[in-house]
Amino acid sequence: MEIWINPACSKCRSAIELLDGAGAEYTVRRYLEDVPGEAEIREVLERLGLEPWDITRTQEPEAAELGLADWARSAASRDRWIAALAGHPRLIQRPIITAQDGTAVVARTEEAVRDALGR
């Protein structure tokens, strides 16, 4: 399993603590440094069963600069959202855990981390 983190994020640190406490084997990806490309974001969205706007941190300054509040949330605008996430990784919700069964979760809660551990 892999976990996408921002080390400055308390939710990321909590998820790591839970994974460590469970003795899980995982790889840490500091996604602000090792930025996922558009294809990888598409893959993770598929695994999550979500749309790009569902994992976008709309309160970040970059979101305001891009005017994301005014962007359509539709199939026609999906590529635009994915490009924004790839170009501005700080907009990607965190942490994201890709589980061994091919699924993924946005692991912002203890329950979500435990769900990923059970997959």
Side-chain angles (χ1 to χ4, degrees):
M1 104 175 43
E2 181 176 80
I3 182 169
W4 292 10
I5 69 159
N6 173 349
C9 169
S10 63
K11 300 272 187 197
C12 293
R13 292 191 306 271
S14 293
I16 294 285
E17 287 176 18
L18 286 167
L19 292 174
D20 288 345
E25 291 184 27
Y26 62 93
T27 301
V28 170
R29 179 170 184 176
R30 294 179 179 211
Y31 72 94
L32 296 178
E33 299 164 13
D34 183 7
V35 179
E38 291 183 31
E40 191 171 9
I41 291 170
R42 287 177 200 287
E43 178 187 335
V44 167
L45 287 167
E46 180 71 26
R47 293 174 80 170
L48 287 166
L50 297 174
E51 293 295 337
W53 45 86
D54 296 327
I55 66 162
T56 300
R57 298 175 56 82
T58 57
Q59 301 305 312
E60 292 292 330
E62 291 94 334
E65 291 169 14
L66 293 170
L68 292 183
D70 298 326
W71 289 16
R73 294 178 179 208
S74 66
S77 64
R78 192 171 197 269
D79 289 343
R80 185 179 187 198
W81 283 86
I82 291 170
L85 293 173
H88 305 274
R90 193 170 305 281
L91 295 175
I92 299 172
Q93 190 58 267
R94 60 189 183 248
I96 293 176
I97 297 175
T98 55
Q100 294 177 351
D101 69 352
T103 61
V105 296
V106 178
R108 295 190 56 76
T109 65
E110 181 176 336
E111 294 79 24
V113 175
R114 295 203 185 284
D115 179 44
L117 284 166
R119 293 181 182 197

